[in-house]
Amino acid sequence: MSDAVIVNRALFDEVMVPNYAPAAIIPVRGMGSRVWDQQDREYVDFAGGIAVSSLGHCHPALVQALTEQANKIWHLSNVMTNEPALKLAAALVANTFADKVYFANSGAEANEAALKLARRYALDTVGEHKMDIISFGKSFHGRTFFTVTVGGQASYSDGFGPKPAAVLHAEFNNLDSVKALISDRTCAVIVEPIQGEGGILPATTEFLQGLRELCDAHQALLIFDEVQTGVGRTGALYAYMHSGVTPDILTTAKSLGGGFPIGAMLTTHTIAAHLKVGTHGSTYGGNPLGCAVALAVLDTINQPAVMAQVLENEQLFRAELHRINAKYDVFSAVRGKGMLLGAVLNERFKGRSRDFFLASAEHGLLSLVAGPDVVRFAPSLVITPDDIREGMQRFEAAVAQVVQATH
Ligand code: PLP
């Protein structure tokens, strides 16, 4: 019966809830940083499934981990623990500030756990009044009702009834705006070391240091949302390692699974102790399949040679973007770090990131936007220099097309 259905983009509009507007193409397979669509047209992948496919498509180590685990055991629930989850938690603990790990299935769920833990910790250690959460304009933390309310775009949380209360928004990279809101009622400050969806905006080291000091002064927890920046994406295992500022709670997802849905919340002994039996949970969180894949991702990425490659790839991306810009004058800056980069459109092309995204696809390149003014690149961390050069040739053709159409 299902074989009789014609599977094309039109079917999406027929059978899917219309909350997405997917591209016209339907990719059917991928290998490394190349993807092929239903018509066998090939694309260079600079999008990485929105900063997820950290080792490209069908990396042999991940295919092996997934198939080996698939032939052992897929699911148990948290009524029992399992070997891959314990190994992955031990690896995360060994390689970060954290002592304890909670597994979820997505970035939003990891943040939901972090925010609930912060509230519970404050309630247990201080009292009911200590519940304010401070986050930042343009931040993005996921789409559950709590995380989307904490996120910095009110339009994403409007229209769903009463929002979770005691959520305050300060201005990113502006410590004075935090000082104006923080008080003994604050239980946590949550921040992305580089705002991803908000436009690839890095936090300054002084800003992160200032947040740490303000949190310490007010007995508030500092939460780093590293869902987009984590697992080697910026050339360090986690972006906090560049700044020297250590959070109390860190959330990670996306690159951690390399394409398999998994999220995690990392924290210390003292704080973790407040998420007692029964306070929080998930049927699938820490499932053997996801954890086996994530362990292979972590083992493969957490190597000095890979971290060095991420930074070399960044230099090549920046050089190529500079070359294209010298010819066409479309960007005012390139922001970000490692394999999370944003080319900021200049005045003349402001608001037109989607045009560059669409033209790129026409020329055989998968790219991303980060808001209307930024073209975003979040490819595989191990993309080869040849694939970068080939992708940039296609991007150049796309830029030329947009510029020509603008005259
Ligand atoms: N936090 C950050 C910084 C993100 O960039 C995202 C997704 O883009 C999320 C949280 C939400 O992650 P997920 O879509 O896996 O729920």
Side-chain angles (χ1 to χ4, degrees):
M1 158 83 176
S2 59
D3 279 351
V5 174
I6 298 169
V7 182
N8 57 18
R9 175 61 180 77
L11 187 59
F12 178 93
D13 296 332
E14 234 179 90
V15 299
M16 302 281 274
V17 167
N19 62 315
Y20 302 116
I25 61 159
I26 301 185
V28 290
R29 66 194 167 90
M31 183 56 67
S33 287
R34 305 276 172 139
V35 162
W36 289 264
D37 71 10
Q38 286 178 312
Q39 282 70 41
D40 215 28
R41 179 149 184 243
E42 174 249 351
Y43 297 81
V44 174
D45 187 1
F46 280 2
I50 320 187
V52 166
S53 308
S54 45
L55 291 168
H57 300 275
C58 291
H59 189 286
L62 307 197
V63 172
Q64 185 182 344
L66 182 67
T67 46
E68 270 179 16
Q69 190 59 44
N71 283 302
K72 286 185 188 163
I73 195 157
W74 293 23
H75 177 75
L76 287 160
S77 89
N78 286 298
V79 171
M80 276 158 280
T81 188
N82 67 77
E83 289 183 357
L86 294 172
K87 286 185 195 165
L88 177 60
L92 287 167
V93 164
N95 287 288
T96 66
F97 75 96
D99 309 310
K100 297 275 187 177
V101 179
Y102 167 84
F103 286 120
N105 307 293
S106 65
E109 282 185 33
N111 283 331
E112 184 82 22
L115 296 166
K116 284 178 72 178
L117 173 56
R119 284 260 176 92
R120 182 56 66 100
Y121 177 77
L123 176 73
D124 289 350
T125 58
V126 179
E128 230 171 43
H129 68 283
K130 197 171 177 62
M131 61 176 170
D132 284 0
I133 290 164
I134 297 178
S135 73
F136 297 95
K138 287 194 171 176
S139 66
F140 187 78
H141 300 295
R143 293 282 197 159
T144 65
F145 204 21
F146 197 178
T147 57
V148 82
T149 304
V150 168
Q153 217 164 325
S155 63
Y156 289 175
S157 53
D158 290 343
F160 298 104
K163 299 183 189 188
V167 175
L168 311 171
H169 293 94
E171 192 184 329
F172 190 65
N173 273 339
N174 179 344
L175 273 182
D176 286 338
S177 77
V178 183
K179 283 180 195 154
L181 294 179
I182 201 163
S183 71
D184 63 1
R185 304 177 62 86
T186 308
C187 73
V189 174
I190 181 166
V191 67
E192 296 160 80
I194 300 175
Q195 282 196 337
E197 302 305 303
I200 314 296
L201 262 172
T204 64
T205 302
E206 303 77 64
F207 181 62
L208 296 178
Q209 278 165 350
L211 290 182
R212 181 70 275 175
E213 282 162 22
L214 285 171
C215 283
D216 290 345
H218 291 90
Q219 275 184 280
L221 300 182
L222 181 58
I223 304 172
F224 277 5
D225 178 344
E226 293 230 28
V227 166
Q228 193 149 162
T229 54
V231 197
R233 185 145 298 275
T234 66
L237 186 61
Y238 285 97
Y240 83 85
M241 294 167 178
H242 294 295
S243 69
V245 177
T246 305
D248 301 297
I249 301 178
L250 180 151
T251 55
T252 177
K254 286 188 181 281
S255 292
L256 180 62
F260 198 102
I262 183 169
M265 176 190 73
L266 279 53
T267 190
T268 63
H269 283 301
T270 320
I271 299 165
H274 294 265
L275 218 52
K276 295 192 179 78
V277 172
T279 49
H280 193 57
S282 157
T283 298
Y284 297 114
N287 72 83
L289 274 181
C291 291
V293 174
L295 185 62
V297 170
L298 202 62
D299 282 348
T300 309
I301 289 177
N302 195 24
Q303 304 288 343
V306 175
M307 295 299 141
Q309 190 185 345
V310 172
L311 296 175
E312 281 162 26
N313 284 347
E314 175 186 348
Q315 292 319 312
L316 184 53
F317 256 85
R318 284 180 177 275
E320 288 286 307
L321 287 170
H322 188 75
R323 178 182 66 72
I324 293 168
N325 204 35
K327 221 161 149 182
Y328 296 98
D329 190 22
V330 284
F331 309 126
S332 57
V334 176
R335 296 194 297 233
K337 198 162 178 57
M339 288 293 86
L340 183 59
L341 296 173
V344 186
L345 297 172
N346 65 22
E347 274 306 317
R348 195 159 155 247
F349 294 92
K350 240 184 164 51
R352 295 188 53 197
S353 61
R354 194 166 164 80
D355 292 346
F356 287 86
F357 162 80
L358 291 172
S360 296
E362 272 181 46
H363 288 275
L365 176 72
L366 305 181
S367 64
L368 295 166
V369 305
D373 303 329
V374 178
V375 181
R376 174 173 34 160
F377 304 105
S380 158
L381 306 186
V382 296
I383 185 171
T384 63
D386 280 351
D387 281 345
I388 295 176
R389 286 193 197 93
E390 175 61 33
M392 281 298 174
Q393 277 191 8
R394 298 178 189 194
F395 187 58
E396 182 175 353
V399 169
Q401 182 176 314
V402 174
V403 170
Q404 240 161 37
T406 308
H407 280 304

